[in-house]
Amino acid sequence: MDGDGVKRVRSTNQPGEVDRISHLPDCLIFKVLLSLPTKEVVKTSALSTRWNHIWKHVPGLNLEYDDFSEHDSFVSFVDSFLSFNRDTCLHKFKVTYDYSEADEPETGLVRRWLDTVSRMKVKTLDVTDDSAESWELEMTPALYTCGSLVSLKLVGLTLPSPDLVSLPSLKDINLILVEFTDEWALEKFISQCPSLKNLCIERSFGDDIPMLRVRSQSLLTFIHIVDSDESFDDERILEIDAPMLEYLKLSDGRTASFKLENTASLVGVHINTAFNLTSTRRFCPNDAQKRNMIQNFLLMISRVDNMVIASCTLEVIYEYSRYEQLPVFHNLSSLRVNLDGYVWEMLPVFLESCPNLTTLVLGSIQNHVKVGITVSPRRPRVLPSLRYVEIERPFKGDALEMQLVGYLLVNSQSLKKLTLRLDDSLKKERSFIFNELLLMPRLSSTCEVVVLSDDPSYHQ
């Protein structure tokens, strides 16, 4: 380990080897080195005389506190890097810091770094506080006016409420378990980023934002993640007004009400929410507000081309469909359903609202929120356009699994291929499963059932 605290590996060139990399111009070498962690970049100083100090001039830092044996060495390295490059326009500043590791923790240390990189016109900023969600580190207000910033990722920090936001170049925001000094801080921040394209928010339980409004005239992709916890029964609200939005992902176990506006550009959605309903907080047909919210939500996503949807969402849709008519998803051609086990009885109601669906993938999901529905017997309708079905979950030939395959085969008039994979643990049961599948009636005379297995002799 050298004096700067970073481990190095010494090497020598072998006779006859041609060092082509060292003959590249600095701009190309810097571009390559910017993609590597700094601890790997420092090791390049052993390659040749030219590389002894070239790593110091790379306009980016990608460092973690545990790259160093001592916390003081980590702090000293970052300070030295920023001092050496103080007149450089910084391309990247990525630091993982543990607030609790310091002998005398000072939030001012990281704030000083953030102030410095802001003055250095940083383009990509990625800061993680790894100290067990303490949220002691608060982002410096100077970053709200960093005109060069293009990409921002914060993990475990606190965002202050901005008095002024001037971020004309900011395109990507990723906030993971970030706290806010007041409930309006995030909304103000988002609404004043005129070039914002991609927004990802993974919220903490304690962010104290009862209503979040996402308003952006430029946003293309929005991901909103909130873990589920039945102990929380608050009525959180999420409103989205983004007329350019093309992709929306909601993996949200807590938000009770969603309001979508101006979704004409929406092409794809990934929906995993039960609208804060559970087995103890069940759908109530007399709750007109909840019914209207679900109706508007489904209507706003009804024009998408592709969709991923979870069992819990399908359960709510099924309950809703018992009292209200579902909108027709005319454009939906590709659907992935993540099922909890093979509880699939609520699936036909939704499939029958997708008249132009051609591809269906049935996957699986863990940590499923159970809404608690009772499926009423009904006669399924023909699926006119479905051509390709893939069942990803390992197939064991259980009764519910066979019923699902039977439903798809007997009701899909255009089906060309249904693919499933046998569970690896099956040995003796394989022949029985094949015979059962062969005997199943099929509405489509051209349908092929493909059974995959690790054993190549078992293929149909």
Side-chain angles (χ1 to χ4, degrees):
M1 181 180 294
D2 286 356
D4 49 31
V6 178
K7 298 176 182 178
R8 288 186 172 84
V9 175
R10 300 298 181 187
S11 63
T12 57
N13 293 332
Q14 298 297 319
E17 288 185 352
V18 178
D19 184 4
R20 291 187 174 89
I21 295 180
S22 293
H23 290 85
L24 293 173
D26 285 354
C27 60
L28 290 180
I29 293 177
F30 289 162
K31 188 173 183 180
V32 173
L33 295 181
L34 275 170
S35 66
L36 300 175
T38 298
K39 66 177 182 179
E40 301 299 327
V41 174
V42 173
K43 292 177 182 178
T44 63
S45 62
L47 295 178
S48 67
T49 302
R50 185 197 173 195
W51 289 79
N52 278 344
H53 300 287
I54 197 171
W55 66 269
K56 297 180 181 179
H57 299 274
V58 176
L61 189 73
N62 182 351
L63 209 59
E64 297 186 11
Y65 69 94
D66 58 4
D67 291 335
F68 297 79
S69 57
E70 297 180 358
H71 179 267
D72 289 345
S73 298
F74 165 68
V75 173
S76 177
F77 188 95
V78 177
D79 284 339
S80 297
F81 172 84
L82 294 178
S83 177
F84 185 84
N85 291 279
R86 59 183 176 274
D87 297 324
T88 303
C89 291
L90 204 59
H91 284 252
K92 178 193 291 187
F93 185 77
K94 180 178 180 180
V95 169
T96 298
Y97 177 82
D98 190 341
Y99 168 81
S100 64
E101 282 290 310
D103 294 333
E104 296 181 4
E106 295 181 2
T107 57
L109 173 66
V110 179
R111 287 171 60 88
R112 172 165 58 81
W113 290 343
L114 296 180
D115 283 333
T116 300
V117 300
S118 180
R119 292 193 298 270
M120 295 171 69
K121 299 181 179 179
V122 65
K123 293 183 178 180
T124 298
L125 181 63
D126 185 337
V127 180
T128 296
D129 177 12
D130 207 23
S131 54
E133 301 179 358
S134 67
W135 293 289
E136 296 289 342
L137 297 178
E138 185 172 303
M139 190 186 82
T140 173
L143 287 173
Y144 282 132
T145 55
C146 182
S148 60
L149 194 61
V150 175
S151 176
L152 175 66
K153 180 179 179 181
L154 301 176
V155 182
L157 275 70
T158 295
L159 277 177
S161 185
D163 294 324
L164 172 65
V165 178
S166 179
L167 296 166
S169 304
L170 188 57
K171 295 182 179 181
D172 303 304
I173 298 176
N174 190 354
L175 304 177
I176 300 176
L177 302 179
V178 168
E179 293 280 275
F180 310 94
T181 55
D182 66 54
E183 62 183 82
W184 309 112
L186 181 55
E187 181 180 335
K188 291 178 186 177
F189 180 32
I190 295 170
S191 64
Q192 297 182 58
C193 298
S195 301
L196 185 61
K197 302 298 182 186
N198 306 298
L199 173 62
C200 177
I201 305 173
E202 184 174 340
R203 295 171 66 179
S204 68
F205 285 141
D207 65 14
D208 296 326
I209 301 179
M211 175 184 290
L212 174 59
R213 295 184 180 93
V214 176
R215 295 174 177 171
S216 173
Q217 296 298 309
S218 58
L219 191 63
L220 300 178
T221 299
F222 178 40
I223 298 173
H224 186 258
I225 300 173
V226 187
D227 286 339
S228 61
D229 190 326
E230 292 196 18
S231 64
F232 288 86
D233 58 357
D234 52 349
E235 294 291 315
R236 290 193 177 193
I237 299 172
L238 175 62
E239 295 186 0
I240 304 171
D241 185 358
M244 300 297 290
L245 192 66
E246 297 177 355
Y247 175 78
L248 172 65
K249 178 178 179 179
L250 301 173
S251 182
D252 191 330
R254 287 189 63 188
T255 301
S257 178
F258 297 88
K259 183 179 180 181
L260 309 182
E261 298 180 5
N262 298 317
T263 59
S265 299
L266 199 59
V267 175
V269 293
H270 184 151
I271 309 298
N272 180 6
T273 181
F275 307 96
N276 204 31
L277 297 172
T278 67
S279 56
T280 56
R281 294 191 300 272
R282 301 185 64 172
F283 179 84
C284 177
N286 296 324
D287 187 345
Q289 184 176 2
K290 180 72 85 173
R291 283 173 62 174
N292 291 337
M293 183 276 297
I294 294 174
Q295 180 183 48
N296 292 331
F297 179 85
L298 294 176
L299 187 61
M300 288 295 99
I301 66 171
S302 63
R303 292 186 290 269
V304 300
D305 294 341
N306 61 83
M307 177 185 296
V308 178
I309 195 167
S311 287
C312 60
T313 309
L314 277 183
E315 290 179 16
V316 175
I317 290 174
Y318 177 82
E319 284 290 291
Y320 169 83
S321 71
R322 296 171 65 181
Y323 307 97
E324 301 283 353
Q325 185 173 354
L326 295 181
V328 179
F329 292 75
H330 286 290
N331 297 334
L332 191 62
S333 60
S334 177
L335 173 65
R336 178 186 177 91
V337 179
N338 291 326
L339 293 170
D340 176 43
Y342 276 98
V343 180
W344 62 272
E345 292 92 341
M346 69 285 186
L347 181 60
V349 171
F350 186 71
L351 293 182
E352 291 165 10
S353 298
C354 310
N356 297 307
L357 184 69
T358 59
T359 302
L360 173 65
V361 177
L362 299 175
S364 60
I365 191 170
Q366 296 179 345
N367 299 322
H368 170 62
V369 176
K370 295 186 181 297
V371 178
I373 64 170
T374 301
V375 179
S376 302
R378 58 186 294 277
R379 184 179 181 84
R381 301 173 188 170
V382 170
L383 306 176
S385 303
L386 189 60
R387 296 184 179 183
Y388 303 99
V389 175
E390 180 180 355
I391 300 176
E392 290 185 345
R393 184 185 178 99
F395 196 81
K396 294 183 178 181
D398 295 338
L400 282 176
E401 296 175 321
M402 300 302 282
Q403 290 171 16
L404 171 59
V405 173
Y407 158 74
L408 292 168
L409 290 176
V410 82
N411 290 287
S412 305
Q413 67 179 23
S414 302
L415 193 60
K416 292 185 176 181
K417 181 187 290 187
L418 185 149
T419 304
L420 55 86
R421 177 178 291 276
L422 287 180
D423 189 282
D424 292 339
S425 64
L426 295 177
K427 299 297 181 183
K428 297 179 181 179
E429 299 91 340
R430 288 179 174 180
S431 296
F432 173 78
I433 293 174
F434 285 137
N435 290 334
E436 289 289 306
L437 292 173
L438 285 172
L439 295 174
M440 283 184 176
R442 309 175 190 186
L443 184 59
S444 171
S445 59
T446 59
C447 176
E448 177 188 12
V449 177
V450 177
V451 180
L452 302 178
S453 172
D454 291 336
D455 185 345
S457 64
Y458 289 96
H459 178 76
Q460 181 178 345

